[in-house]
Amino acid sequence: MTVKPGASLSLPVLNFPKSSGGLKRRKRDWVIPPINFPENARGPFPKNMVQIKSSNDKEVKIQYSITGTGADLPPVGLFTVDKNSGILYVTQTLDREKKDQYIVRFLLAHAVAVGAGIAEVPMEIIVKVIDMNDNKPVFTQDPFTGTVPEASKPGDEVMQVTATDADEEDSANSDVRYTILSQEPPLPSPNMFVINPVTGGIRVNAPGLDREKIPKYTLAIQAADMEGNGLTSFGKAIITVTDSNDNPSYTVSVPENKVDVTDGDDPHSSPCSTTYKIVDGDTQGLFSGSTGPSKLEGIITTAKPLDFEKKNKYTLLVTVQNEVPFAISLPTSTATVVVNVEDVNEAPVFTPVEKIIRKPEDLPVDSDLVLYTATDPDTARNQKVTYKIRNDPAGWLNINKDTGLIKVKSLMDRESTFVQDNKYSVVVLGIDNDEIPATGTGTLIIELEDVNDNAPTIDESVIRVCNKESSPQLLSVTDKDSTGFAAPYTVQLQGSSHSSWTARMNDTKTGIILTLKTVLDSGDYMVVLRVSDNQGLHHDSTIQASVCDCKGADVQCTDEAALCLCCAPVLSLLLLMFLRKRGGEKEPQEDDVIYYYDEEGGGEDDQVKGTHQTSSEQAH
């Protein structure tokens, strides 16, 4: 079923199956159709979704509650229920890309009779978030870079561009198509390349590539979802034309003693084998000289990284000698080699690379945390650095892309699973605006100072004691806060628990000693204990105490309680039949859609509009 945003029609109604009572194991084979709700639905909130209804609501007053993810577990309060009417609400906009559905094991609905012995079997509800086209394609890199030999022919593959879309997979919302918007320069043809609209593969489309005339092409590319008719993103593909050795060799006259000068001996005989050596211009040992495999060519390589910003030109003096000395003494051949250092775009550098700050965990939203910036080592280039957060596991922070100022986006929590040893780590990127941008990485570590934001709770929820000379029960207390906001604890009994029980802290003030002080009939009792930490923050915990007819520490329960439980369903059935004969049933509204489920399961085929007849009654 689909609930349209802002709809004012009667709500769909989901009915709990009839309780079988007693200790009989219920079958749970019925299928509840999912509640389909669109993401990005506009307010006002809360917005109603469905009505949960108990089949027993005409006999007794029913109160409703929900538990699970989105209810009492994070994100807490996303779904709420009116305890009297059973109407289920959503309190804020849903985002399918964060969570596409709230499934059975997380979102449960319960109906509990007030002041009666009826307890409904929990109804399992699936809230499915319907995808909207709210995410545009994102190129996996920008720009893309590739090379193409100048001798390439039309149809030759050059490179591939790719984009991703966060919308629902295998749907039109994420079906991306690619287009080339422009080519710079548009020579010798404005359509030198063509792109496959489905795969993003770029191929040569026309002849005439010539590295000596045009060494590089820049393509403006587009990615659009909805099969090319939806949201769009733009990027670049930079294609470098490489040399295909299509220029003829020229013979030129050069002064002697230059590099690569060959003597007149047979190149395959030992007298023409040469050795090369750098003799001047390299005081820092940045270069190394060697002889090539043919023993004729000299090879100069960089032995250490060169820094354009420190020095962009080196003049080296190189000598060459024959391995076998000449019969007569000749001057040593030398050559001057000028090495021009090309500027390469280097990544911005964060200082320090790992920045540590200390902040309280309860900083208000939009508070300034720290200014974390990077410097660009490319001093010869007038580049701007922008910032973004790459890894923020809990989504607590925002960064100003221009200034690097980091602020609190949502409340931080020292007790979160994303915090280790009180430390929360975030990876920050600094990106320059070069044609091929370079990215630097810094790590921000926030040491979170504890505040008293967690009340102590009791670990145990069920105990068993004898009703005569009962042994004290030791209950454990847990507080997620640090020691400064935890023990010593205090405890107080609440409500009617005072009359039958005593509670005190143990000697270390970390555990509770609970004792039955009067003789009670065997059965289950609720004991409410208020536990407070050393700052007075408290929480009320309810303990189910099963009191058995026995003595001392050896707790032995008889079958008397179980026997009483078996009588309850018969009495409830007789009471239900009596009430029906006296009062009859209220007719359903015209627009009500009610789901009933019998003991053997059921599903969507059991839908009945405008009737209260169950599947079992229809069979009769």
Side-chain angles (χ1 to χ4, degrees):
M1 68 189 68
T2 301
V3 182
K4 295 181 178 179
S8 59
L9 300 176
S10 297
L11 286 178
V13 179
L14 301 181
N15 273 57
F16 279 88
K18 292 283 187 177
S19 175
S20 62
L23 301 178
K24 181 178 178 182
R25 187 180 184 91
R26 288 194 57 89
K27 294 186 177 181
R28 303 180 66 180
D29 297 331
W30 57 82
V31 177
I32 305 297
I35 302 171
N36 295 326
F37 200 83
E39 66 172 338
N40 304 323
R42 297 180 179 178
F45 292 101
K47 186 181 291 290
N48 49 40
M49 302 176 72
V50 70
Q51 184 175 12
I52 305 167
K53 188 174 182 181
S54 171
S55 301
N56 297 298
D57 65 350
K58 297 179 178 61
E59 290 81 13
V60 292
K61 181 181 178 182
I62 301 296
Q63 289 187 348
Y64 302 86
S65 64
I66 56 174
T67 62
T69 301
D72 59 351
L73 296 177
V76 175
L78 179 60
F79 301 103
T80 61
V81 67
D82 186 292
K83 68 177 182 178
N84 295 315
S85 68
I87 296 177
L88 182 67
Y89 297 92
V90 60
T91 62
Q92 58 184 278
T93 300
L94 301 180
D95 186 350
R96 190 203 69 86
E97 284 69 49
K98 290 184 177 178
K99 191 172 181 64
D100 60 357
Q101 69 175 9
Y102 296 81
I103 59 178
V104 56
R105 61 178 178 273
F106 295 125
L107 186 59
L108 305 175
H110 304 273
V112 178
V114 178
I118 299 173
E120 302 284 6
V121 174
M123 177 181 286
E124 299 173 339
I125 299 175
I126 299 175
V127 177
K128 184 176 181 182
V129 185
I130 303 303
D131 185 41
M132 298 295 171
N133 190 24
D134 58 344
N135 289 278
K136 64 182 181 180
V138 177
F139 282 108
T140 56
Q141 63 185 77
D142 189 21
F144 293 87
T145 59
T147 60
V148 58
E150 61 183 343
S152 298
K153 300 176 181 179
D156 288 353
E157 292 286 343
V158 178
M159 60 187 296
Q160 184 179 26
V161 300
T162 55
T164 60
D165 195 306
D167 288 318
E168 186 173 3
E169 188 176 359
D170 297 327
S171 71
N173 293 341
S174 61
D175 194 345
V176 179
R177 295 290 188 269
Y178 303 94
T179 308
I180 294 177
L181 301 177
S182 65
Q183 168 193 305
E184 181 64 33
L187 300 172
S189 164
N191 299 304
M192 292 298 294
F193 304 94
V194 66
I195 192 169
N196 185 309
V198 177
T199 67
I202 297 177
R203 304 189 312 275
V204 176
N205 187 54
L209 293 171
D210 189 336
R211 187 191 69 82
E212 284 68 41
K213 292 182 179 179
I214 302 175
K216 182 175 67 176
Y217 289 91
T218 299
L219 306 181
I221 53 177
Q222 171 186 287
D225 59 22
M226 298 292 290
E227 298 179 348
N229 300 307
L231 302 178
T232 58
S233 290
F234 304 95
K236 291 181 180 179
I238 299 175
I239 302 174
T240 300
V241 183
T242 60
D243 193 7
S244 295
N245 197 25
D246 55 352
N247 291 321
S249 297
Y250 293 92
T251 302
V252 296
S253 297
V254 295
E256 62 180 359
N257 306 323
K258 288 291 184 180
V259 174
D260 291 334
V261 173
T262 304
D263 62 26
D265 293 314
D266 182 357
H268 298 288
S269 64
S270 61
C272 75
S273 297
T274 56
T275 59
Y276 293 81
K277 184 179 180 180
I278 299 173
V279 296
D280 193 22
D282 184 24
T283 58
Q284 296 177 303
L286 299 176
F287 303 91
S288 64
S290 61
T291 304
S294 68
K295 299 296 184 177
L296 295 176
E297 71 272 13
I299 300 173
I300 297 177
T301 59
T302 55
K304 296 179 181 179
L306 304 180
D307 191 339
F308 174 86
E309 283 69 35
K310 291 182 179 179
K311 189 173 182 178
N312 58 19
K313 179 184 289 187
Y314 295 85
T315 301
L316 308 178
L317 184 62
V318 181
T319 64
V320 57
Q321 293 178 332
N322 271 51
E323 287 185 350
V324 178
F326 289 102
I328 59 174
S329 178
L330 295 175
T332 302
S333 297
T334 62
T336 299
V337 179
V338 177
V339 179
N340 291 310
V341 182
E342 293 182 356
D343 188 18
V344 175
N345 188 30
E346 299 172 85
V349 178
F350 283 90
T351 305
V353 175
E354 184 176 276
K355 191 176 185 70
I356 301 175
I357 62 174
R358 186 175 179 86
K359 297 290 180 180
E361 64 173 325
D362 63 343
L363 274 180
V365 172
D366 207 37
S367 297
D368 292 349
L369 268 180
V370 67
L371 186 67
Y372 194 20
T373 60
T375 56
D376 193 336
D378 296 307
T379 56
R381 304 183 183 203
N382 185 20
Q383 297 185 152
K384 179 182 178 182
V385 178
T386 57
Y387 303 93
K388 66 187 296 187
I389 293 178
R390 185 180 74 178
N391 186 27
D392 178 12
W396 288 340
L397 309 180
N398 266 335
I399 190 168
N400 186 300
K401 69 181 183 66
D402 297 315
T403 67
L405 177 63
I406 298 176
K407 289 190 172 188
V408 178
K409 181 175 69 174
S410 59
L411 292 177
M412 300 182 290
D413 183 6
R414 188 192 70 91
E415 291 74 39
S416 167
T417 56
F418 296 109
V419 177
Q420 302 295 326
D421 297 327
N422 299 333
K423 296 177 181 178
Y424 181 69
S425 297
V426 177
V427 177
V428 181
L429 302 181
I431 308 165
D432 65 29
N433 62 340
D434 190 76
E435 186 177 46
I436 302 178
T439 301
T441 302
T443 300
L444 175 65
I445 298 177
I446 307 171
E447 293 185 349
L448 291 172
E449 300 172 351
D450 192 25
V451 298
N452 195 18
D453 57 348
N454 291 278
T457 59
I458 297 175
D459 296 343
E460 294 80 6
S461 59
V462 177
I463 62 171
R464 299 177 68 203
V465 298
C466 288
N467 60 358
K468 292 182 284 294
E469 299 181 14
S470 174
S471 295
Q473 303 292 310
L474 179 61
L475 306 178
S476 303
V477 179
T478 296
D479 194 323
K480 294 181 180 179
D481 292 320
S482 62
T483 54
F485 303 110
Y489 305 112
T490 58
V491 63
Q492 292 179 324
L493 286 161
Q494 301 295 305
S496 61
S497 302
H498 283 285
S499 60
S500 303
W501 303 84
T502 62
R504 62 180 178 85
M505 300 305 303
N506 62 2
D507 293 340
T508 62
K509 306 297 183 182
T510 59
I512 299 171
I513 299 175
L514 180 65
T515 307
L516 177 64
K517 67 180 182 179
T518 60
V519 177
L520 296 177
D521 293 337
S522 60
D524 291 338
Y525 296 84
M526 297 295 112
V527 182
V528 182
L529 298 167
R530 175 169 294 177
V531 187
S532 305
D533 62 22
N534 59 20
Q535 300 292 316
L537 187 64
H538 64 265
H539 175 75
D540 292 346
S541 296
T542 301
I543 309 298
Q544 178 181 315
S546 295
V547 177
C548 302
D549 189 12
C550 54
K551 182 177 180 181
D554 186 15
V555 182
Q556 299 289 335
C557 291
T558 65
D559 294 333
E560 182 178 342
L563 182 59
C564 293
L565 288 173
C566 294
C567 299
V570 178
L571 295 175
S572 300
L573 181 60
L574 292 175
L575 176 62
L576 179 62
M577 294 175 62
F578 174 73
L579 292 174
R580 284 188 172 178
K581 287 184 178 180
R582 290 192 60 189
E585 296 182 344
K586 179 182 176 182
E587 289 298 319
Q589 298 298 318
E590 179 69 21
D591 293 330
D592 283 352
V593 179
I594 303 177
Y595 294 86
Y596 288 94
Y597 300 92
D598 61 13
E599 293 298 325
E600 298 304 318
E604 296 183 30
D605 292 336
D606 291 333
Q607 299 180 26
V608 181
K609 181 167 184 171
T611 178
H612 283 246
Q613 192 173 17
T614 67
S615 300
S616 298
E617 291 169 342
Q618 290 176 8
H620 288 77

